[in-house]
Amino acid sequence: MAEPCRSGTTTAPRAGADVARRAAGSAAAGCGLAGAVAVTVAVVAGPGPGLTGYVSEAGIAGSGHAATYRIGILALAAALLLIGAALPPGVWAAAPALLATGAVLSAVSGAVTCSAGCPLPPFERTTTADLVHGGASIAATASVVFAMLTLSVSGPAGPAVRRLAAVTAALALPLCATVGLAMLVVGRGAVVGVLERLVLALLVAWGVATSTALALDRREARSL
């Protein structure tokens, strides 16, 4: 009679942890959607230069939609942290660590605003804030893409999460490389503006889709 008691005692914490992970996945999806909507509203409704400029220009000081932009970025940063919390046990530790790093760097990029036009080298003169903002934004993107690569080969993540990570990373890597090359060769313009938006849209779509997959994943509960 003692053995079933021990089994039940072990099962309850596992079931509770599974529910908490799925709740984190649901919260991550909500934060991702809310953040994407807020940033999109700030970019579309703001006085920026459209597709020839950077998304970050919606958050420059004095912009009427700067607060909306920052709230959106912070919501997206929270989504990254929650995705890390929603990952199942056994996933390579590098994945949640990279997601946490991406979240912190995203928050830094939202808190440190760039100057008008968000200038970046080598074609434009920059301020310290421009470099901090631009560096944090680039590093945050890289962290999320590397987290995808890690998840794509981490068995415990589950087939749906691995597929989403592999497909999105395969699309994002060449786009990121093209953005970097375009910034060095042609600088600010429609090419960089469009490519940047494609990369960001991919990352947000991956975050929402992965969060949803994690929220619906009941493998742990079924195995108990």
Side-chain angles (χ1 to χ4, degrees):
M1 294 297 293
E3 191 64 30
C5 290
R6 286 199 297 269
S7 176
T9 302
T10 303
T11 297
R14 284 185 177 180
D18 181 59
V19 170
R21 282 192 295 273
R22 286 187 281 116
S26 297
C31 285
L33 285 172
V37 169
V39 172
T40 300
V41 168
V43 171
V44 172
L51 294 178
T52 61
Y54 299 112
V55 169
S56 299
E57 292 184 54
I60 61 174
S63 169
H65 297 83
T68 303
Y69 171 82
R70 292 193 190 97
I71 290 171
I73 293 297
L74 290 176
L76 292 173
L80 293 177
L81 284 176
L82 288 165
I83 290 172
L87 292 173
V91 169
W92 287 3
L98 285 165
L99 289 170
T101 300
V104 172
L105 290 169
S106 296
V108 170
S109 75
V112 180
T113 58
C114 54
S115 56
C118 289
L120 289 173
F123 298 105
E124 300 168 301
R125 297 184 63 180
T126 59
T127 65
T128 300
D130 293 328
L131 294 175
V132 171
H133 172 85
S137 299
I138 292 169
T141 301
S143 295
V144 176
V145 173
F146 283 127
M148 291 178 195
L149 291 172
T150 304
L151 287 173
S152 69
V153 294
S154 184
V161 172
R162 289 200 309 273
R163 273 196 303 272
L164 285 167
V167 170
T168 310
L171 294 172
L173 279 171
L175 280 174
C176 290
T178 305
V179 170
L181 182 62
M183 289 174 67
L184 292 174
V185 175
V186 300
R188 170 192 173 92
V191 173
V192 173
V194 170
L195 289 174
E196 181 202 29
R197 284 159 175 75
L198 286 175
V199 170
L200 294 177
L202 267 178
L203 298 189
V204 171
W206 170 81
V208 173
T210 298
S211 301
T212 303
L214 291 168
L216 297 175
D217 187 1
R218 298 180 62 87
R219 287 177 300 141
E220 288 288 313
R222 287 199 303 266
S223 66
L224 298 176

